[in-house]
Amino acid sequence: MKRLTIVLTLLVALCGVATAQLQSAPDVKGLEKKIRKSNEDIANPKKMEKVSTWHKRADLMMEVANAERMNCFPGMDAQLFRLQMGTPVEQREQTIGEANYAVQVMPRAEFYFANSALALYKVTTPIEPNALDKALEAFEKALTLEQKPRGKKDLYEGMNKLRSQYIQDAVNFYGLQEYKSAIQHFKKAIHISETPGIDIVDTLVYYNMGLASFLDKQYDEAVAAFRKAADLGYTMGGAIYCTCYEAAAAAGKKDEGKEILTSAIEKYPEQKCLALNLINYYLEKGEQPTNVLPYLDKAIQNDPNNATLYFVKGVVYNNLEDFDQAEAAYRKAVELDPKYVDAYYNRAAMYYNQAVSLTNKALELPASQQAEYEAMEKQINVLFHKCIEPCEKALELDANHAPSLDLLKSVYFRYRSEPGMSEKHEAIQKRIEALGSKPA
């Protein structure tokens, strides 16, 4: 799947970024004492019915979650980290995906630095397991007890901060390639967003949850998340429907994906990927090639200097046996990209296949149709000779292009009695042998 990069910049904006100031290391013992007290309070029949008991617990659990990553934040400078946290118990280098990190191992967490800035973190010894989830439970319990509008407003504000923490942790898990955890945290952020009284439209969160689901091979969930993001207005100029198609295709539901594309292309005719994916769909399915042409023409209209589109157009017309249109398209492809080896070769192969087809038809003619046979033979010779120029051009660009070598070997041998052809055949044979190829 292409462009599977999480929208980190915008999500960080959603989360908020801590300011680069010196902070003290967390008081773990003090927090553990507060947790014990909170546990006692929510078990107390009188206190458990008070809004303040649950609100305080929610705030405490959010504080604990921050403390578990030692109050550090993405983008934190490595020197500030050392000054705040002291000497790590271990240091190592680690690669995740294509990214390299310098890892600082602390007693309760690991911190991943890239270019001297904190990029990722991993809590190894939590102070309180599932602290954010316990904060959410506490906020929701408090909402059931709170009757005053002002009190509810305070709870909503706290829950929105919790939502930001969920998103930050989701982005972090995504970076660690722990996609299941990322998905769960994105879901919790969405759950908070959709809480009556908060009602935030989380298009980016849906989109990035879709990316995480795709990478975790939960393709149906990815399609649902991408579609939800699009329904809420995050369409990326129609590009999100291409991502949605890729997820549907990965789920083995290309026909469903096709419906997504055909619906979207009417709304976003200038989005190149929609037409290209539809073209690929029809070509892969082996369906009637004419189905491709409207989308192909639309793609060319939007990107007239794209040599690949003309190459595909040549392939389509070749399959339709409209050889004049195919030749024009292949020639346009190499006009736009003079180094397009496949376009040169495909044009040569088209001539060659036409010649072979005519040869077979000529051989089927009865002896009484000698004139027709001779006329067809002339056409055949013209077509075989037309193979030579584009194939030789392909070999100028790629001396080891095996299909061109094989085709020219056959044509040179056929016309070996013509001046220079025997020498060319011997030369091409030596090149093939040098490559270790032994064509029939």
Side-chain angles (χ1 to χ4, degrees), residues 196-254:
I198 297 179
D199 302 314
I200 295 172
V201 178
D202 258 340
T203 57
L204 278 175
V205 175
Y206 272 111
Y207 175 72
N208 286 295
M209 186 170 71
L211 293 182
S213 297
F214 186 97
L215 291 171
D216 199 47
K217 299 183 179 180
Q218 298 184 44
Y219 300 120
D220 289 332
E221 290 79 0
V223 171
F226 291 139
R227 283 189 135 172
K228 183 67 175 180
D231 290 345
L232 292 172
Y234 189 74
T235 64
M236 299 157 46
I240 194 170
Y241 296 105
C242 298
T243 310
C244 196
Y245 169 76
E246 292 173 22
K253 299 179 179 178
K254 283 192 175 182

Side-chain angles (χ1 to χ4, degrees), residues 245 249 254-263 265-266 273-298 312 315-317 319-320:
Y245 169 76
K254 283 192 175 182
D255 291 341
E256 177 185 333
K258 173 206 163 190
E259 297 305 317
I260 293 170
L261 293 174
T262 52
S263 175
I265 203 167
E266 299 301 322
C273 70
L274 295 171
L276 289 174
N277 276 313
L278 277 167
I279 291 165
N280 288 332
Y281 168 84
Y282 282 116
L283 293 177
E284 290 171 8
K285 295 283 283 189
E287 294 189 8
Q288 179 53 252
T290 51
N291 293 333
V292 175
L293 292 173
Y295 305 111
L296 191 52
D297 289 337
K298 189 167 292 188
V312 173
V315 172
V316 172
Y317 276 116
N319 290 338
L320 291 169

Side-chain angles (χ1 to χ4, degrees), residues 340-360:
Y340 205 149
V341 172
D342 288 341
Y344 287 112
Y345 171 75
N346 268 35
R347 179 157 60 92
M350 180 182 70
Y351 299 143
Y352 186 91
N353 291 334
Q354 284 179 266
V356 170
S357 178
L358 274 177
T359 299
N360 292 334

